Amino acid sequence: MKARTFFSLAAAFGVIAVVYFARHDVADAWRKLPEANPWLLLLMIPTQLLGYHANAKMYERYFVAYGNKVAYKPLYRMAIELNFVNHVFPSGGLSGASFISFRLKKWGISTAKATLAVIARFGMLFASFQAMLLLAILSLLIKGSAYKATIYVTIGMASLFFFGGMGALYIISSRKRITTLSAWIIRSINWLARVLHIKKDHVISEEKVNQTLTELNKDYIATMLERRKLIIPTLWSLVVNITEVLTIYWVYLAFGQSVSLGAVTVAFGVANVAGAVAAVPGGIGVYESIMTVVMVSAGVPAGVSLSVTVVYRVVNMAVFIPLGYFLYQRSLRTSHKQNA
């Protein structure tokens, strides 16, 4: 009951923080909305719902490929909940990983397997987005609408994706490196516990950390032995990325701007990386600034780019964060009843 109360209060605080940080964007979006075509704006909703469908199918096909059956419907709800969690808890995706582990326990998915599924999801999304980035840069170069800065930033981001992913795989592919990581995690947790004066029996045990990371290593090796099974989930991850880019593209069209899909793809990628590591909920402020700068470097007027980005963010959050919050709270209640 204490855990449920804590997570409920944390989520409520997160929503309040999002609203607070987004208050200026909301005011700006409200002033700009009359300028937009409402029918094109409405395309955002089915496009995002398709994106959640693709997310659910990606997880479903991943688990089926490696011997676990998880129903599609709860995975679809989880995708919407995950959007909420990642918005209100700024942690570079770590909160989302913990939440997925919590949600999948009822299907017998271990923490290690859930963690590997999250890593695989990021890997598949990055791999499919790399292909989209390549096509985006080529289209901008052909049209001559990309400044050198845009190209350099995109190459840097692609390199970050690649080497970051390779670094994660390098660690989890070796039992020795996993053990080293385990020791570091335990020391960090113990240090944080001392700083916060948390009782030792309330801290995660060394045995639990070692067990989870050892299972992660075993699951990774088993996955790599049958990596062809990742093809279908990766194709679904491509659909996820395409729907995200299209959602922004509809808003540009709604404001009467026929922009390059390549420019939108680059801006979306750079803004999401910056927003994910920002200290504010949902990357508010950081996301809009980066998106605007990249679109301006691709030749889009600054005023138009900022207006589109703000409207896209506000409409998207106004529709899906409340829905995610409702489903999140329902998941907490359901979990409490099962454990009672």
Side-chain angles (χ1 to χ4, degrees):
M1 189 65 179
K2 288 182 180 179
R4 177 192 164 195
T5 302
F6 171 78
F7 286 118
S8 295
L9 290 174
F13 177 78
V15 171
I16 293 170
V18 168
V19 172
Y20 174 78
F21 283 108
R23 65 192 187 282
H24 298 303
D25 283 354
V26 171
D28 289 341
W30 184 256
R31 289 193 293 268
K32 296 292 183 182
L33 273 177
E35 303 174 18
N37 183 320
W39 300 109
L40 286 172
L41 280 183
L42 283 175
L43 281 177
M44 293 174 62
I45 296 175
T47 305
Q48 282 291 281
L49 290 174
L50 175 60
Y52 293 130
H53 164 73
N55 254 304
K57 294 300 292 184
M58 178 173 55
Y59 276 118
E60 181 188 44
R61 298 308 303 171
Y62 174 84
F63 286 121
V64 167
Y66 296 103
N68 295 96
K69 176 66 175 176
V70 183
Y72 164 80
K73 190 175 179 180
L75 286 175
Y76 190 90
R77 289 198 301 265
M78 186 182 78
I80 300 175
E81 294 166 20
L82 188 61
N83 175 67
F84 164 76
V85 170
N86 284 331
H87 264 90
V88 303
F89 300 123
S91 62
L94 293 178
S95 298
S98 300
F99 178 71
I100 288 175
S101 178
F102 157 75
R103 288 286 276 114
L104 293 175
K105 279 184 180 178
K106 65 182 291 185
W107 284 277
I109 307 295
S110 67
T111 300
K113 187 162 286 189
T115 302
L116 185 60
V118 172
I119 294 172
R121 174 183 179 271
F122 279 119
M124 291 184 290
L125 285 171
F126 288 163
S128 59
F129 195 70
Q130 293 276 38
M132 291 175 61
L133 272 179
L134 177 61
L135 291 175
I137 283 295
L138 287 175
S139 70
L140 291 175
L141 287 173
I142 290 171
K143 293 179 180 179
S145 56
Y147 293 141
K148 287 184 178 180
T150 308
I151 298 173
Y152 293 153
V153 168
T154 306
I155 293 174
M157 183 179 64
S159 301
L160 177 65
F161 286 170
F162 178 79
F163 289 111
M166 289 299 101
L169 295 180
Y170 176 75
I171 292 173
I172 66 175
S173 63
S174 164
R175 180 71 63 84
K176 182 179 179 180
R177 289 189 287 271
I178 281 284
T179 302
T180 302
L181 176 62
S182 174
W184 179 83
I185 290 175
I186 292 166
R187 286 197 302 270
S188 300
I189 292 174
N190 289 335
W191 173 82
L192 184 61
R194 288 194 299 272
V195 170
L196 299 176
H197 303 290
I198 298 173
K199 294 180 180 179
K200 191 172 182 180
D201 57 353
H202 290 171
V203 179
I204 189 170
S205 68
E206 180 177 347
E207 181 182 356
K208 184 68 175 177
V209 173
N210 283 325
Q211 179 185 347
T212 299
L213 291 177
T214 299
E215 289 179 14
L216 179 63
N217 172 253
K218 290 180 179 178
D219 289 338
Y220 168 78
I221 293 172
T223 299
M224 288 298 99
L225 289 174
E226 299 181 278
R227 51 186 173 272
R228 287 186 178 181
K229 292 181 178 180
L230 291 174
I231 293 175
I232 294 178
T234 300
L235 291 176
W236 279 114
S237 76
L238 179 61
V239 177
V240 173
N241 284 322
I242 290 173
T243 58
E244 292 289 351
V245 172
L246 280 178
T247 302
I248 304 171
Y249 185 67
W250 299 143
V251 186
Y252 272 102
L253 293 183
F255 277 88
Q257 297 292 319
S258 181
V259 298
S260 165
L261 271 172
V264 177
T265 301
V266 172
F268 166 77
V270 177
N272 268 276
V273 171
V277 299
V280 294
I284 294 169
V286 177
Y287 187 101
E288 291 82 354
S289 300
I290 298 296
M291 176 75 79
T292 300
V293 168
V294 176
M295 291 303 292
V296 168
S297 75
V300 179
V304 172
S305 179
L306 182 59
S307 297
V308 167
T309 304
V310 167
V311 170
Y312 153 71
R313 292 275 280 167
V314 169
V315 172
N316 208 17
M317 288 191 290
V319 173
F320 290 106
I321 284 187
L323 178 59
Y325 178 73
F326 169 76
L327 294 175
Y328 174 87
Q329 291 289 355
R330 193 171 75 167
S331 294
L332 291 182
R333 289 194 299 269
T334 302
S335 174
H336 171 66
K337 289 177 182 178
Q338 290 172 346
N339 294 328

